[in-house]
Amino acid sequence: MNTMVQVAVAGDVTEAEEIQAILTNVGIETQLSTPEDDADAVTVLVQETDLETALDAIEALTESDDLVGEA
Protein backbone atom coordinates (compact mmCIF):
# COMPACT_ATOMS: atom_id res chain seq x y z
CA MET A 1 0.00 0.00 0.00
CA ASN A 2 1.32 3.42 -0.96
CA THR A 3 1.47 6.22 1.56
CA MET A 4 -0.47 9.44 0.97
CA VAL A 5 1.67 12.58 1.26
CA GLN A 6 0.91 16.30 1.21
CA VAL A 7 1.44 17.94 -2.16
CA ALA A 8 -0.22 21.31 -1.48
CA VAL A 9 -2.12 23.30 1.12
CA ALA A 10 -4.99 25.38 -0.19
CA GLY A 11 -6.54 28.37 1.53
CA ASP A 12 -10.06 27.03 1.09
CA VAL A 13 -12.05 24.15 -0.35
CA THR A 14 -12.50 25.85 -3.73
CA GLU A 15 -8.74 26.23 -4.21
CA ALA A 16 -8.18 22.65 -3.06
CA GLU A 17 -10.76 21.37 -5.54
CA GLU A 18 -9.03 23.33 -8.34
CA ILE A 19 -5.70 21.67 -7.48
CA GLN A 20 -7.48 18.31 -7.23
CA ALA A 21 -8.96 18.82 -10.73
CA ILE A 22 -5.50 19.63 -12.18
CA LEU A 23 -4.07 16.44 -10.74
CA THR A 24 -7.06 14.31 -11.75
CA ASN A 25 -6.65 15.58 -15.33
CA VAL A 26 -3.11 14.17 -15.42
CA GLY A 27 -4.22 10.86 -13.91
CA ILE A 28 -3.17 11.36 -10.29
CA GLU A 29 -5.47 10.16 -7.53
CA THR A 30 -5.95 12.71 -4.73
CA GLN A 31 -7.53 13.06 -1.33
CA LEU A 32 -8.50 16.26 0.48
CA SER A 33 -7.94 16.65 4.20
CA THR A 34 -8.61 19.45 6.68
CA PRO A 35 -5.91 19.81 9.35
CA GLU A 36 -7.40 19.87 12.84
CA ASP A 37 -5.41 22.94 13.85
CA ASP A 38 -6.48 25.09 10.86
CA ALA A 39 -10.12 24.78 9.84
CA ASP A 40 -9.64 27.15 6.88
CA ALA A 41 -6.80 25.26 5.21
CA VAL A 42 -7.33 22.18 3.07
CA THR A 43 -4.46 19.78 2.41
CA VAL A 44 -4.23 18.01 -0.95
CA LEU A 45 -2.76 14.52 -0.63
CA VAL A 46 -1.36 12.22 -3.33
CA GLN A 47 0.28 8.80 -3.40
CA GLU A 48 3.94 9.10 -2.43
CA THR A 49 4.89 7.56 -5.78
CA ASP A 50 2.99 10.36 -7.60
CA LEU A 51 4.45 13.26 -5.59
CA GLU A 52 7.07 14.43 -8.10
CA THR A 53 4.65 14.23 -11.03
CA ALA A 54 2.00 16.09 -9.02
CA LEU A 55 4.41 18.88 -8.08
CA ASP A 56 5.46 19.21 -11.72
CA ALA A 57 1.82 19.42 -12.85
CA ILE A 58 0.99 22.10 -10.28
CA GLU A 59 4.14 24.07 -11.14
CA ALA A 60 3.42 23.88 -14.88
CA LEU A 61 -0.14 25.14 -14.42
CA THR A 62 0.96 27.93 -12.09
CA GLU A 63 3.56 29.12 -14.61
CA SER A 64 1.03 29.11 -17.46
CA ASP A 65 -1.46 31.07 -15.32
CA ASP A 66 1.22 33.65 -14.55
CA LEU A 67 1.99 34.06 -18.26
CA VAL A 68 -1.69 34.53 -19.11
CA GLY A 69 -2.06 37.09 -16.32
CA GLU A 70 0.90 39.11 -17.61
CA ALA A 71 -0.28 39.21 -21.24
Side-chain angles (χ1 to χ4, degrees), residues 6-28:
Q6 175 180 308
V7 69
V9 177
D12 57 35
V13 172
T14 302
E15 184 181 352
E17 288 176 343
E18 289 173 2
I19 295 168
Q20 189 176 38
I22 293 164
L23 298 176
T24 299
N25 285 339
V26 295
I28 298 173

Side-chain angles (χ1 to χ4, degrees), residues 31-45:
Q31 290 181 357
L32 300 182
S33 174
T34 305
E36 290 180 23
D37 59 345
D38 189 350
D40 292 331
V42 180
T43 303
V44 181
L45 305 170

Side-chain angles (χ1 to χ4, degrees), residues 18-19 22 57-71:
E18 289 173 2
I19 295 168
I22 293 164
I58 293 169
E59 183 178 334
L61 183 82
T62 302
E63 289 175 0
S64 65
D65 279 356
D66 289 346
L67 293 175
V68 169
E70 293 171 3

